[in-house]
Amino acid sequence: MLKIIFFSIPLFGHVNYGLKLAKALCDKEHKIRYYSGKAYEKFISAKGVEFYAYDERIEKMFSEPNSSYSAKYMLSVEPEEVDYVSEIYKYAYHLREIERIFTEQQREDIEAFKPDIIVYDSAAIWGKSIARLLNIPCVCSCTPYSYPKELICEEPEMFSSLVFHQKMSSELTFKILKKMNALLRKKFLLSDEMQISENWCGEGDLNLLYTVKDFQLGSQFLDKDKYVFCGILCDQDDKRDVNEFINNDGRKIVYISFGTIYNSSHLLLEIAKTLVMLYDFDFILNVGAYNNLQLFENLPKNWRVVRKVPQISLLEKVDVFISHGGVNSVREAAHCGVPMIVVPWEGDTLCTAQDISNGNYGKVIAPSEIYRLKDILVDVINNSVINENCIELSKRMKSAGGLTYAVKMIEKMGMDRKIT
């Protein structure tokens, strides 16, 4: 039996995959502790995994109303209003402050548990720090998009376009990154001159990537001995009946979902307005937990409006997936062989959009181009090249090993440590 600690931040995409790993390991009778924000306590405990809370000061940081942890707040944020350079520094500072508080206040609890290995979401950078303090191995669960440091160094202009939302010169990109890092080093006594790159890539002893090599921007820069491409994590809870969402009338099915953060009612209504005259399709519109259902009640009968669906099971049944390009959703669609139309906004969504374009797995449009969506949807449905590419990608994703392989790799690393 291994003793394993998991660290995450309280956002669904960051909690969910780590929790699948934790539950699978718990089912194999390993002793698990899962640290996250209190907003996810019931969700984690319902899986039979032992939830542990962070220090109250950290929880307060998670609970601030006007932050990206608040789905309600994020619905009101317009991308063109965001200063991304400033926001990225604030985010880096935020994570380092959590690391400082946790290391000072909760390290003794971790030491008393005597873990064999730590698994941490790549945003929860304190997982690596705690592992180094305890001299134990760590596994990074790379749920956000991963930019290896080498990619940043080799392609700084592309990196600035995707992360800062501005195409900057190499000189200016490095100047900004080094300035951010210098400020963080002064406050938090960091050792690495480019340690801020840890915010964008896994730097564990082992790093799990939930995709395949040819569907990951910059994969040529990843150390094959430290990065494992295991495909998506699919467990028993993902294998659910979705017939209640499907009209078995033979029409093509289009699934629309903009995740838990970016699904503004304004954008969803604009999409619906553009597609509403396509009576030969069935639409499933996932509006999330906070949008007002009454805003969508006048849609025709071939539209089904939902708040929540078993997404992976549903993706196995649909013909096209329209989304913002969230990394987990895009990879799940790739696993299921579904052509995609993405309307990227920021961060990970710009990267997945690049992957989709590079492999010709669908189409990418800007929010300002929603008026073109009807024609684009019809084109994707009938595009034999895109559909064949998606089928082939699905085969590669499904052969990557998934949850079973990821669990095996964690167990191997933990057992190797116990033996030595």
Side-chain angles (χ1 to χ4, degrees):
M1 180 190 77
L2 294 172
K3 290 184 177 182
I4 308 173
I5 289 179
F6 281 75
F7 293 116
S8 78
I9 61 174
L11 288 170
F12 181 78
H14 296 258
V15 172
N16 188 38
Y17 269 32
L19 186 55
K20 289 182 181 185
L21 291 168
K23 183 180 186 301
L25 288 160
C26 194
D27 288 345
K28 298 185 75 172
E29 299 187 350
H30 297 295
K31 180 66 175 175
I32 307 296
R33 287 187 177 186
Y34 200 107
Y35 283 82
S36 191
K38 290 181 180 177
Y40 281 86
E41 181 174 1
K42 289 183 180 179
F43 180 61
I44 293 165
S45 298
K47 300 287 186 179
V49 175
E50 194 168 5
F51 169 83
Y52 275 74
Y54 289 115
D55 182 274
E56 285 298 324
R57 286 178 293 170
I58 297 174
E59 182 61 35
K60 186 176 180 181
M61 294 169 69
F62 291 148
S63 303
E64 292 177 0
N66 295 338
S67 76
S68 59
Y69 295 110
S70 170
K72 288 183 179 179
Y73 168 71
M74 290 303 292
L75 290 178
S76 67
V77 176
E78 297 295 336
E80 59 271 15
E81 298 173 356
V82 178
D83 178 349
Y84 288 96
V85 172
S86 175
E87 288 300 313
I88 285 166
Y89 177 73
K90 289 177 185 177
Y91 178 62
Y93 188 97
H94 169 84
L95 295 181
R96 290 296 173 188
E97 184 67 6
I98 294 174
E99 177 184 49
R100 182 189 66 79
I101 296 171
F102 187 87
T103 304
E104 290 177 357
Q105 299 299 320
Q106 295 183 270
R107 175 182 172 180
E108 290 184 3
D109 293 338
I110 302 298
E111 289 177 329
F113 180 63
K114 296 182 179 180
D116 298 298
I117 188 170
I118 284 174
V119 182
Y120 68 100
D121 181 88
S122 52
I125 54 178
W126 45 97
K128 176 185 173 183
S129 300
I130 293 295
R132 295 292 177 262
L133 287 170
L134 301 183
N135 194 30
I136 60 174
C138 60
V139 175
C140 182
S141 172
C142 299
T143 46
Y145 210 91
S146 292
Y147 308 83
K149 186 184 297 184
E150 292 78 9
L151 171 61
I152 300 172
C153 293
E154 293 290 331
E155 301 283 354
E157 292 182 11
M158 181 180 70
F159 175 81
S160 65
S161 295
L162 296 174
V163 177
F164 295 150
H165 290 231
Q166 303 174 52
K167 189 168 185 179
M168 301 175 178
S169 66
S170 300
E171 182 181 3
L172 181 56
T173 301
F174 287 129
K175 182 178 180 180
I176 290 172
L177 288 172
K178 288 181 179 180
K179 178 64 174 178
M180 288 181 178
N181 206 72
L183 291 170
L184 293 170
R185 287 183 75 194
K186 184 176 181 180
K187 171 67 177 179
F188 300 106
L189 305 178
L190 305 183
S191 57
D192 192 328
E193 290 187 358
M194 271 289 284
Q195 201 157 343
I196 191 169
S197 67
E198 191 174 1
N199 290 5
W200 298 295
C201 67
E203 292 193 354
D205 300 307
L206 180 71
N207 304 279
L208 301 176
L209 291 171
Y210 304 119
T211 183
V212 289
K213 191 171 184 179
D214 62 333
F215 198 51
Q216 161 70 43
L217 196 67
S219 60
Q220 69 270 27
F221 298 110
L222 297 172
D223 184 342
K224 63 182 177 61
D225 294 324
K226 289 188 175 183
Y227 288 83
V228 172
F229 293 90
C230 59
I232 71 164
L233 304 186
C234 183
D235 62 17
Q236 199 61 39
D237 290 341
D238 293 313
K239 300 171 183 177
R240 291 160 55 189
D241 184 9
V242 293
N243 285 334
E244 65 178 294
F245 304 103
I246 303 295
N247 293 324
N248 295 311
D249 52 17
R251 293 188 292 195
K252 297 292 186 180
I253 302 170
V254 180
Y255 173 49
I256 305 168
S257 176
F258 278 67
T260 56
I261 296 178
Y262 304 115
N263 58 338
S264 75
S265 58
H266 173 75
L267 180 60
L268 295 180
L269 285 168
E270 189 176 355
I271 288 172
K273 181 180 178 181
T274 305
L275 302 177
V276 74
M277 299 301 290
L278 289 175
Y279 296 112
D280 294 335
F281 296 81
D282 284 330
F283 293 92
I284 301 169
L285 176 61
N286 186 350
V287 300
Y290 298 106
N291 280 314
N292 185 352
L293 290 176
Q294 291 182 334
L295 294 173
F296 305 92
E297 62 185 6
N298 292 325
L299 290 172
K301 292 182 179 180
N302 62 320
W303 285 73
R304 184 181 293 265
V305 180
V306 298
R307 287 205 181 277
K308 186 178 180 181
V309 295
Q311 182 163 283
I312 295 175
S313 295
L314 184 63
L315 284 168
E316 293 280 8
K317 303 286 187 180
V318 307
D319 298 284
V320 175
F321 179 37
I322 300 175
S323 80
H324 62 305
V327 62
N328 288 335
S329 291
V330 162
R331 289 171 176 175
E332 288 166 3
H335 174 89
C336 298
V338 183
M340 293 166 269
I341 300 172
V342 296
V343 189
W345 187 23
E346 65 171 2
D348 290 354
T349 68
L350 297 175
C351 300
T352 56
Q354 190 70 53
D355 277 334
I356 290 166
S357 293
N358 289 347
N360 196 18
Y361 301 119
K363 298 291 184 180
V364 178
I365 66 172
S368 60
E369 298 178 305
I370 294 298
Y371 68 92
R372 298 178 53 222
L373 186 56
K374 177 182 174 182
D375 292 337
I376 290 172
L377 173 58
V378 173
D379 175 55
V380 169
I381 284 280
N382 297 312
N383 191 312
S384 60
V385 175
I386 288 176
N387 279 269
E388 184 59 34
N389 288 344
C390 290
I391 290 170
E392 293 303 313
L393 177 59
S394 174
K395 292 176 183 178
R396 297 194 297 276
M397 291 286 286
K398 288 180 176 178
S399 66
L403 183 60
T404 300
Y405 182 49
V407 166
K408 179 181 177 181
M409 296 300 290
I410 293 170
E411 287 184 307
K412 183 180 185 304
M413 178 163 281
M415 292 304 299
D416 287 349
R417 185 261 175 183
K418 284 184 74 112
I419 291 170
T420 57

